[in-house]
Amino acid sequence: MNVEIAPVDEHTGPARHFRIRLSATARGARLARHLAAEQLTSWGWPYDSDGNRTASLLVAELAANAVRHGRARGRDFALRLTLYAADATLRIEVTDARPDRSPPLPGTLTPADADTESGRGLLLVESLSTHWGATAGDPYTKTVWCEVALACRT
């Protein structure tokens, strides 16, 4: 699979969508996580389910990266959730304003030193998602995405 191109044809059936623009601040990143958890609850995966917890963590990591590494003065970031109900797969997309700052390619991440306080977010994304990547759809933005199997509803 080419990680630069987001897989879109492997899911069939109806999908549910949620999209919001948020300020590229720590507050915006926290809000992204809370809104994702609330949206998943409304779709049938309650706060205390493993699927909701995992998806919320992935949203938090991608949103924090968008704020930290993808921030451009005066520009927001966007969160998009797409639920493919037929196979209970959630696609998470976070779009920021820095296409010039691409993350490392999947499979090339190296563990952070034990004494550092950061550098583990994409490792979590890689280990918890079924696949992930980044794409630049236009000259002004990039989208980092991942997909996660939510398992059965509880």
Side-chain angles (χ1 to χ4, degrees):
M1 172 178 67
N2 181 346
V3 296
E4 290 297 316
I5 299 172
V8 293
D9 294 332
E10 58 189 60
H11 300 288
T12 59
R16 295 180 176 174
H17 301 279
F18 172 81
R19 182 175 171 93
I20 192 166
R21 296 190 71 79
L22 298 162
S23 65
T25 62
R27 183 177 184 196
R30 281 191 308 273
L31 187 55
R33 179 175 179 254
H34 291 295
L35 291 170
E38 180 63 32
Q39 188 61 50
L40 283 168
T41 298
S42 75
W43 286 341
W45 279 269
Y47 287 111
D48 61 348
S49 68
D50 288 339
N52 193 313
R53 283 190 218 118
T54 300
S56 295
L57 176 62
L58 292 170
V59 167
E61 292 299 336
L62 294 180
N65 282 352
V67 169
R68 183 172 183 160
H69 304 293
R71 184 177 183 179
R73 186 178 177 99
R75 302 275 307 274
D76 297 334
F77 75 93
L79 168 66
R80 181 176 181 178
L81 305 175
T82 304
L83 174 65
Y84 300 98
D87 60 359
T89 298
L90 179 70
R91 182 178 175 89
I92 301 164
E93 299 177 10
V94 175
T95 302
D96 65 47
R98 295 299 304 262
D100 57 319
R101 293 188 180 174
S102 293
L105 295 174
T108 65
L109 300 172
T110 57
D113 292 333
D115 59 344
T116 61
E117 294 183 14
S118 63
R120 293 171 185 83
L122 286 178
L123 288 168
L124 281 171
V125 171
E126 189 164 70
S127 66
L128 295 175
S129 64
T130 54
H131 48 281
W132 71 280
T135 183
D138 60 48
Y140 309 105
T141 63
K142 81 165 171 300
T143 300
V144 181
W145 58 269
C146 68
E147 291 188 358
V148 62
L150 296 176
C152 298
R153 295 181 196 205
T154 58

